[in-house]
Structures are given as C-alpha cells and as structure tokens.
Amino acid sequence: MPDYRQSLEFGSFLTPSAGDPAWVVDLALVSERAGLDLVTIQDHPYQSRFLDTWTLLSWIAARTTTVTVAPNVANLPLRGPVILARSAASLDRLSGGRVELGLGSGAFWDAVAANGGPRRSAGQAVTALADAIAVIRALWSDEKGGAKVDGEYYSLSGAKRGPAPAHDLGIWVGAYGTRMLGLTGRLADGWLPSSFAAGPDVLGEMSARVDDAAREAGREPAQIRRLYNVTGTFADVADGSFLHGPAEVWAEQLAELTLQHGTSTFVLASDASTDLERFAAEVAPRVRELVAAERGEWESAISR
C-alpha cells in the first residue's frame, strides 16, 4: 500500500456552472497547463444552475491528458453506489487511470428529497455510506462469482462484477463528525475535508480520530491520503489568517499542515485562473521545497 506521507499533490476545486459551460472546462485546462495534479468538481445534482458532475468530468477527462479528475464529493443519495462504481471505473478505463472517487454521505436533505432521494438522519447516512463502499468495492473486485453485499441501505445479491478500474482507484470520503471520521479510518483510501468547514485549528484532532480508527481496523494510518480543500486570498501583506497573503505565506502554512498532520493533497477552491496559476507556479513548488528540507530530502525536491 502507498505511504501518502511521501507524496505531495495540488489541485483545483471548480464550480460546474451551467451558465457558461466552456468557462469551467477552460479552468480545468488552465489547471493542467499550470502543472496541477488534480481537477475536482463539486456535486450537487439537485442544483439546476450546475452541470451534471459526471458528464462534466467525462468531458474534462477527454480534453486533458495528465490531470486526475474526481467528484468533490459525489452525492451518494442521488447517485447510488452501483452507478457510481460503474461510472468511476468506466471513466478510469477511458482516461487511462486518471480518476479517483470522492464520496459523500449527503447533505441538503430537503433538496435531495425534492428530487426523489431519501431523507436520512446523520446516523443513517453513515451506515448507508459504509454499505455503499462495500458495494463499490465488491463490484470492482476481481473475485469470481456474483457480488453479494448484505447492507441495510444498499445490497447486492449476485450482481455481475465489473468493469474493473484501470488502476487502484481510491475512495476519498468527505467527513467531519466522529462516526464519519471513524468510517474513514476503517474503510476509505482518503480523507477529504474543507478548510471552510474544518479550519486548520481542528484538523489535528480530526486527523487523530481517523488514525485511531485505522489502527483499530488493523490498518496503517499512512495508507489513508489526507486531502484538504482550501480557499484563500493572494495579497501583498499577510493579515495573520489562513491563506491570506503572499504565496510564500501560503506555502509556509500548507507545509506546516503537511509536516504536522500528514496532509499530502491541497485542492484550491477558486474559479479564477490567476489564482490557479499562482497556486501551481508559486505555492506548490515552495511547499515541496519546505517539506523536503524539513525531511532532509532536498534531492527529491530538486528532481521535481
């Protein structure tokens, strides 16, 4: 299994605005040209102002050659694990292994219900997500025979497996509550919180819960990639807040999160091409340098 403490990646988190479809695709192309590793799209299927996330991700994957694409995060209640499993695996094969699956338990339950989806309590949503992960992994498995999962919300009773992804496709969970963090440690390949919902001051405590759950499940915490959606403002002068100031300040703050909490992927939520370009050209290389210097890995930093 990979040790994600040793791998730093940077990406973009884009708004799928239906008002100007070419605009968001252009931002994805800007992300790739700038050297970012990842392009992610928020997923709110009940939002009529947004393009469908999977359709948009497929279009972006076809227009790019190097970036990984992922929903950030897929809305489980309105998509369902069987369709998610086969959609993600199909796009992974079509793109040459450039897909990861960000997965969420759901939110905005009134909107979900208005579109024919279930209305779940917090506890029900956690159980449903655990069922969904079991279903997805069963369908991706190369085991012989039909897939069977006896879940409370999602089940399989001899379903045909496949298609299998082109690579070891990860499931990244957006999690904040105690039970969801525990699920992430037990079952997920990555943890994907956002700075606008969980600031850097609480990241350590939440990450520790993921670590504890992983160890209890017999897993190494370092096998779970730590991602972080971030927002910020580039400015000439820092004001002491998170990601507000020159690129050097951004780099120092992000490097600190890597060194303290093992955060290895930073995803910038911005629809400004200039922000994405500065993030790729000025912040990402400096974060790698600072982390490598602290770890005594200057040769690794220079080789990037």
Side-chain angles (χ1 to χ4, degrees):
M1 295 293 291
D3 182 344
Y4 289 121
R5 292 171 302 185
Q6 306 305 318
S7 172
L8 275 172
E9 294 186 348
F10 298 82
S12 59
F13 183 11
L14 308 178
T15 305
S17 174
D20 188 356
W23 172 66
V24 66
V25 176
D26 285 345
L27 288 175
L29 296 175
V30 166
S31 299
E32 180 172 70
R33 287 196 299 267
L36 293 177
D37 306 290
L38 179 67
V39 171
T40 72
I41 304 293
Q42 57 181 285
D43 184 35
H44 298 283
Y46 39 75
Q47 177 53 265
S48 62
R49 294 184 294 105
F50 287 173
L51 299 165
D52 174 70
T53 293
W54 272 110
T55 305
L56 177 58
L57 288 172
S58 299
W59 190 272
I60 290 172
R63 294 286 305 277
T64 56
T65 58
T66 61
V67 291
T68 293
V69 299
N72 191 349
V73 289
N75 186 288
L76 174 63
L78 287 177
R79 295 198 182 272
V82 171
I83 298 303
L84 281 172
R86 292 184 168 138
S87 297
S90 297
L91 187 55
D92 196 51
R93 295 178 74 90
L94 287 165
S95 66
R98 293 190 290 121
V99 174
E100 304 292 349
L101 179 57
L103 186 58
S105 61
F108 305 103
W109 294 106
D110 287 345
V112 169
N115 285 270
R119 188 187 299 274
R120 292 174 177 149
S121 68
Q124 290 170 336
V126 174
T127 301
L129 185 59
D131 289 350
I133 292 174
V135 166
I136 292 168
R137 295 203 190 283
L139 292 175
W140 288 348
S141 171
D142 59 2
E143 293 181 18
K144 302 298 183 183
K148 296 182 180 181
V149 173
D150 185 18
E152 183 175 347
Y153 294 94
Y154 300 110
S155 300
L156 297 173
S157 54
K160 293 183 182 294
R161 303 180 194 272
H167 82 298
D168 189 12
L169 200 159
I171 298 176
W172 301 339
V173 172
Y176 299 95
T178 300
R179 287 190 61 188
M180 281 288 288
L181 293 169
L183 178 150
T184 302
R186 295 193 311 273
L187 302 176
D189 302 300
W191 174 42
L192 180 54
S194 300
S195 64
F196 36 90
D201 57 320
V202 300
L203 205 59
E205 179 182 353
M206 296 171 75
S207 185
R209 291 175 181 168
V210 174
D211 291 349
D212 291 343
R215 294 189 187 97
E216 289 173 5
R219 307 178 70 194
E220 288 293 330
Q223 294 174 359
I224 303 168
R225 179 176 283 277
R226 311 305 164 97
L227 305 97
Y228 203 27
N229 294 322
V230 299
T231 60
T233 302
F234 286 106
D236 292 336
V237 179
D239 67 0
S241 60
F242 184 60
L243 300 189
H244 186 285
E248 178 67 21
V249 170
W250 283 49
E252 291 171 356
Q253 292 177 337
L254 296 183
E256 183 177 4
L257 294 181
T258 298
L259 295 167
Q260 287 189 351
H261 308 308
T263 309
S264 59
T265 302
F266 296 102
V267 186
L268 178 61
S270 176
D271 295 322
S273 59
T274 53
D275 285 350
L276 299 177
E277 289 167 341
R278 290 194 68 179
F279 190 59
E282 301 177 36
V283 178
R286 185 57 177 152
V287 174
R288 291 187 173 110
E289 289 175 358
L290 291 170
V291 171
E294 185 67 23
R295 291 174 174 168
E297 298 173 357
W298 274 111
E299 289 185 3
S300 175
I302 294 171
S303 68
R304 290 298 296 260

